[in-house]
């Protein structure tokens, strides 16, 4: 027996957040490859651990990106927490690397990456879409 699944389409704000996250993953893969090559050339544990940490964040972003279709509320909050972790990661790495934080560079980096995702996922249409579960005809 075939079960028909009726779902409403993903709202624009959720699709836009998913698109920005896709760009983050794509550019993150390029960065991981170049940073990984540089870290392997020096074979120091510090840069290799940094590449492993960034790869873990990137892998978690990609995994959560694939979970958007479940419409589970935990996915939305996990993405919000992850994007806040990305901002914290950037701030901490800049402070460790140079000892000071350039506010303009920080604002540009946040505005191009995590900020749009955070704003889009905290809007009411995304709240409504993530809080509804998929329904089947058999269940209704």
């Amino acid at each position: 027996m075939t079960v028909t699944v009726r779902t409403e389409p993903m709202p624009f704000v959720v699709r836009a957040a998913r698109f920005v996250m896709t760009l983050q993953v794509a550019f993150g893969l390029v960065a991981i490859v170049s940073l990984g090559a540089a870290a392997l050339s020096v074979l120091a544990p510090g840069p290799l651990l940094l590449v492993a940490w960034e790869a873990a964040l990137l892998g978690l972003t990609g995994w959560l990106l694939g979970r958007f279709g479940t419409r589970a509320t935990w996915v939305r909050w996990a993405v919000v927490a992850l994007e806040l972790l990305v901002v914290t990661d950037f701030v901490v790495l800049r402070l460790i690397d140079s000892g000071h934080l350039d506010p303009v560079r920080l604002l540009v980096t946040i505005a191009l990456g995590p900020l749009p995702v955070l704003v889009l996922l905290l809007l009411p249409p995304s709240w409504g879409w993530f809080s509804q579960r998929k329904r089947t005809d058999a269940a209704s």
Side-chain angles (χ1 to χ4, degrees):
M1 178 173 153
T2 304
V3 176
T4 306
V5 177
R6 283 185 287 157
T7 59
E8 62 185 74
M10 190 179 290
F12 173 76
V13 293
V14 178
R15 282 184 288 143
R18 191 174 65 170
F19 176 73
V20 173
M21 287 179 65
T22 303
L23 290 178
Q24 286 177 345
V25 170
F27 288 120
L29 286 173
V30 172
I32 290 294
V33 168
S34 63
L35 284 174
L40 285 175
S41 69
V42 295
L43 287 176
L48 291 173
L49 286 174
L50 176 64
V51 170
W53 168 253
E54 295 298 327
L57 282 179
L58 189 65
L60 185 58
T61 304
W63 181 75
L64 285 172
L65 190 60
R67 306 298 299 170
F68 263 61
T70 64
R71 299 176 70 166
T73 307
W74 70 266
V75 173
R76 178 176 170 254
W77 289 114
V79 171
V80 168
L82 177 69
E83 295 298 332
L84 289 173
L85 182 64
V86 168
V87 171
T88 306
D89 176 56
F90 179 78
V91 170
V92 168
L93 288 178
R94 290 295 168 244
L95 287 174
I96 289 173
D97 187 37
S98 63
H100 70 282
L101 194 60
D102 182 14
V104 174
R105 187 172 181 182
L106 175 66
L107 186 61
V108 168
T109 303
I110 291 172
L112 292 177
L115 185 64
V117 176
L118 287 171
V119 168
L120 290 168
L121 288 181
L122 293 176
L123 289 174
S126 68
W127 173 262
W129 190 76
F130 274 108
S131 62
Q132 295 176 355
R133 294 286 185 173
K134 290 182 180 178
R135 294 182 322 183
T136 62
D137 284 339
S140 48

